Amino acid sequence: MTGPVRSVSQAFAILRLLARDGHAQTLSDVARATGLSVSSCLNLLRTLVAEGALEAESGKRYRLAPGWAELGALMRGETAQLVARAQPLLTRFAEQHDATVGLWHIEPRERLELVALGESESATRIHMAVGQRQPLGAGSTGRALSAAQCVDDAELARRFAALRWQRSLDYAAYAMQIGAARSSGYALDDGFAHAGVCSVACAVPGDPLAFCLSASTFAGSRDADGVRTLGQALTALARAIGQSDERS
């Protein structure tokens, strides 16, 4: 063999795409994202379904089968590379802004996993652990992703119904906060997800969206201008990480 088998490489491109997104996608979504013709893409999707790697929802949307989704092996290499590039940027940001900054990855089964962390040198600081998970819609990260993904009302209500809050929050207020995130470019959670913690978050640009950033401080430690400055700085960091991913 003089080189890779093209159809096998294309099949793995589809698997990696669905692993990154974590949601079922249509034939046209997959074809557009992978650059395949619709006919070639359909043949590959049907083959992957027949082999048990994918599941077809009513024949119109495709997602990773449970066994494949739970392994996470398809994303390990790409995630590790992005983490390696992002880590020094996270550390520098944490030191400059005296905040705990996290890089989150969208996992199968609608959860986010913390894959990298930057912490300041402050004696008292917010601690998070790499590997911790939370529901897709939770906290500032959930609002940021919902805003970036432009989810419709039905999907937003479904995500909200799965959440629990430490400070009372109704759906109307949650939806308004996501609308504000669309306008500002970053989302805010001020003590709703975790009492005493104020966090801002924004999606890392990508197609499809696979990563999100959060910056957490103690509630009340910054005024509105300070929170705005933190959110804008985090948005700039997300763009830098997204651009480094495109160049790799």
Side-chain angles (χ1 to χ4, degrees), residues 93 184-187 200-202 215 225-236:
F93 185 95
S184 66
Y186 64 90
V200 295
C202 58
D225 287 340
V227 172
R228 187 180 307 110
T229 297
L230 182 64
Q232 292 170 346
L234 191 72
T235 302

Side-chain angles (χ1 to χ4, degrees), residues 81-105:
Q81 291 174 12
L82 188 138
V83 167
R85 293 191 298 272
Q87 187 60 66
L89 301 178
L90 301 180
T91 301
R92 187 179 309 123
F93 185 95
E95 293 172 350
Q96 290 175 342
H97 297 275
D98 192 19
T100 299
V101 58
L103 176 66
W104 300 82
H105 177 239

